[in-house]
Amino acid sequence: YVAAWNEDVQMYVTEEGSWVASINERAYASLEDAINAAKDGDTVTLLSDITISETLTIDNAIALDLNDCTITSAADVAVRITADATLEGGTLIAADGAQAVTVDGAVVEFNKMSVTGGAPEATENLYFIEITNGSDVTFDGSTVTFTYAYAESVNPDAPPQGQVIRSLASDLTIVNSTITSGDYGVTFRGSMTDEEAVAADASEYKTLTITDSTVQARLFAVSGNGSGTNHGTNIAVTGSSKLESTKAQAIYHPQYGTLNISLADDETQV
């Protein structure tokens, strides 16, 4: 038996092997209990593979160390993050047709993470990882794998969209990572009208940086949007990066902004 703590930080006794997360010396019987008990700056460590049925919400500034373990989710949204956080060293598997992660107004790092899921019989749009509201997100040494196929009932002339990463009015960095999509790749949108973007300095634009990484998609590997308040973007592809689309242009850039492809010894490929 071992002493463990619940979300109210009350100690109880549980059989050895039944706890799944820890903060320093304290063990918790559920990951949700550990995250709820964590204070800003704490590291929550996962101790075993788990399956969750509800959205895992991170709303305080913590690090979640998956410790080479796997979180398998059955929820419509696997993880929702609304505070600065780091997720590292493990695997997140989203349910079919579900979002893996939403980030709202937070600075978040995914370090050495594997995120997988998709929609094998899609009938509606699916934004697998959605980043919004001025967030700043980094994928470092990570892989994101998103499968997407239309259901037989879908009108082929107006099919839904599957986007592996959708970034709205936020900053995004992808380094030493591999992003794979069965439909659209990284969709990146700014926060300005075209008139505002023309008048503004480029330093005010939202920035997408892809370094030493691969983005492979069926449709656009990287795409913007030329309507509404989607202008004002800086997009840089550097190092030994590779952008690949099997059915469309690798880059679709109709918005007002900057696009810089900087080759490293002829290794960057588009």
Side-chain angles (χ1 to χ4, degrees):
Y1 292 85
V2 66
W5 280 259
N6 64 14
E7 61 182 346
D8 298 319
V9 198
Q10 295 175 339
M11 189 178 74
Y12 60 96
V13 176
T14 181
E15 291 185 12
E16 186 172 358
S18 64
W19 62 96
V20 299
S22 67
I23 304 173
N24 298 323
E25 298 296 325
R26 293 189 172 186
Y28 294 83
S30 77
L31 180 57
E32 292 86 349
D33 284 350
I35 289 175
N36 290 336
K39 298 178 175 61
D40 287 354
D42 280 346
T43 295
V44 176
T45 301
L46 191 61
L47 303 177
S48 63
D49 296 343
I50 61 170
T51 297
I52 57 176
S53 59
E54 297 182 356
T55 298
L56 185 68
T57 298
I58 299 175
D59 55 9
N60 46 1
I62 65 169
L64 175 56
D65 181 0
L66 276 72
N67 190 31
D68 292 327
C69 297
T70 297
I71 299 173
T72 301
S73 174
D76 291 338
V77 179
V79 180
R80 178 177 291 112
I81 305 173
T82 59
D84 298 352
T86 299
L87 280 72
E88 60 187 5
T91 299
L92 173 65
I93 302 174
D96 286 350
Q99 283 189 300
V101 181
T102 65
V103 180
D104 183 4
V107 178
V108 178
E109 295 184 10
F110 295 88
N111 297 329
K112 297 181 180 178
M113 284 290 299
S114 172
V115 183
T116 64
E121 295 185 359
T123 58
E124 57 187 22
N125 294 344
L126 177 57
Y127 310 125
F128 189 55
I129 295 176
E130 189 166 33
I131 303 164
T132 62
N133 197 26
S135 295
D136 187 348
V137 174
T138 298
F139 291 88
D140 189 351
S142 296
T143 62
V144 181
T145 305
F146 174 63
T147 59
Y148 194 83
Y150 308 136
E152 291 183 4
S153 59
V154 167
N155 179 355
D157 296 326
Q161 294 184 4
Q163 301 174 15
V164 61
I165 299 177
R166 186 185 197 223
S167 179
L168 306 178
S170 298
D171 294 313
L172 174 61
T173 300
I174 300 170
V175 58
N176 295 320
S177 296
T178 299
I179 313 297
T180 306
S181 174
D183 206 40
Y184 287 84
V186 177
T187 62
F188 188 75
R189 300 183 180 185
S191 59
M192 300 179 179
T193 65
D194 54 353
E195 293 88 355
E196 290 169 340
V198 170
D201 188 83
S203 62
E204 302 175 60
Y205 296 172
K206 297 303 178 183
T207 298
L208 166 63
T209 303
I210 300 173
T211 303
D212 298 328
S213 297
T214 296
V215 181
Q216 184 177 43
R218 187 179 73 88
L219 298 176
F220 309 122
V222 173
S223 61
N225 187 294
S227 65
T229 57
N230 295 306
H231 297 269
T233 62
N234 293 317
I235 298 177
V237 183
T238 66
S240 57
S241 294
K242 179 179 180 180
L243 306 184
E244 180 180 357
S245 168
T246 59
K247 296 293 184 180
Q249 300 95 327
I251 300 175
Y252 177 65
H253 192 286
Q255 74 275 23
Y256 192 91
T258 69
L259 174 61
N260 179 31
I261 300 175
S262 179
L263 304 179
D265 298 327
D266 296 327
E267 291 185 350
T268 295
Q269 303 178 50
V270 178

